[in-house]
Amino acid sequence: MDRVLRWLVWAMGIACVAIGAFHLVLGIASVPGEGTAGATVDSRERFYNAVFLGYGLAWIWAARQSPVPAKAVRALAGIFLLGGIGRLLSLAVHGPPQWFQVPLTVLELVLPPVYFWLADADERTRAATAEA
């Protein structure tokens, strides 16, 4: 399980860095179904995605630790879950988004429990190895 955790943490980090960089560079043009929304929305899109890129770097930092720190994984997964909850709030207030946002919402709600469950796998393996 510890290898699965490390792989998942790396994958999340790389995905978030790639997504953040893509949106940072392209701005609002990177958002499916949005077209142009003006300078203010484009500026906000680029700012938030610089933060998302940094969030991805935090995942990569966690993946590089030995053992992978459970507290960091749980905190980062919790932030991801909050993003999914934010999308649900938007759905409730504004209705359904562009179709591509729906699978993203599902991922943001389904993946965090997996990370919460696996978070201490590397720490447990290291502790068991140290005892033996």
Side-chain angles (χ1 to χ4, degrees), residues 3-115:
R3 288 184 185 189
V4 171
L5 171 68
R6 188 171 300 276
W7 184 87
L8 284 172
V9 172
W10 271 107
M12 180 67 90
I14 291 167
C16 292
V17 166
I19 292 165
F22 177 74
H23 287 270
L24 177 64
V25 170
L26 295 179
I28 199 66
S30 66
V31 180
E34 282 306 302
T36 60
T40 301
V41 175
D42 184 75
S43 174
R44 186 184 65 208
E45 176 72 15
R46 292 176 196 268
F47 173 81
Y48 287 148
N49 280 286
V51 174
F52 195 63
L53 191 153
Y55 172 72
L57 292 174
W59 278 101
I60 291 171
W61 170 86
R64 294 176 48 90
Q65 303 308 301
S66 187
V68 174
K71 285 184 181 182
V73 171
R74 287 188 180 112
L76 291 166
I79 292 167
F80 201 61
L81 179 61
L82 284 174
I85 292 168
R87 288 189 197 265
L88 288 178
L89 288 171
S90 179
L91 177 65
V93 172
H94 297 286
Q98 196 267 350
W99 74 267
F100 188 68
Q101 305 301 311
V102 175
L104 294 177
T105 304
V106 171
L107 286 174
E108 291 158 357
L109 297 172
V110 170
L111 285 179
V114 173
Y115 282 99

